[in-house]
Structures are given as structure tokens and as C-alpha cells.
Amino acid sequence: MPKISPELLSVLRCPVTGSPLVQDGEELVTTAAGPAGVKLRYAIEDGIPLLLPPELLPAAAAAPASQHDAGQPGQPESGQPDASRHTAG
């Protein structure tokens, strides 16, 4: 089980409640209850916390891998930052 570093945990927040997260096995758990009155849980896959709100998980799982970075500003198809968008000041 990969352990998330204390430094990373100190800056991570739940995208729904904004509360800090604590590691419980292979999941991160909110320290405050969500809208339904229960603490939210987020999976850790390959050492990476998946901090998607629960209602977005089915859509993310259904999307092909080629679409995971699509449409993000500054991210061309290669997934590398678009250097042409930066200007020298």
C-alpha cells in the first residue's frame, strides 16, 4: 500500500467539502462530512489520489484515455504545456 507523504497530505483538500484528507488504507477520507452527512472517500491508484467528486467518477471511467487531458487550456494533444501561450515580460 503506497503511503501518501505528510507534505502532500498537508496541502490536499476534498473537492466537495474543502476539508483536509487523511489516509485510511488505500483511500483518502475527508475529515468533515459531505452533503449526505457521511465522510467522502477517494481511491489512491498507483500512488496517485483520485480526487474526483463522486458524481464524476462514472464519466471519468467511461472516457477513453486520450480524452483525459483533452480540452484543458495550455495542453496540446501531446499533453505538454503549450510554450506558444507564454510571453516574455
Side-chain angles (χ1 to χ4, degrees), residues 9-68:
L9 275 175
S10 73
V11 297
L12 290 178
R13 295 291 180 264
C14 171
V16 176
T17 66
S19 70
L21 299 163
V22 294
Q23 187 166 358
D24 181 16
E26 296 200 17
E27 295 180 312
L28 295 181
V29 182
T30 59
T31 57
V38 297
K39 292 183 177 183
L40 301 172
R41 304 180 81 80
Y42 298 96
I44 302 170
E45 289 186 12
D46 297 323
I48 301 170
L50 302 178
L51 298 179
L52 286 175
E55 64 272 11
L56 295 180
L57 286 173
S66 64
Q67 290 185 349
H68 286 213

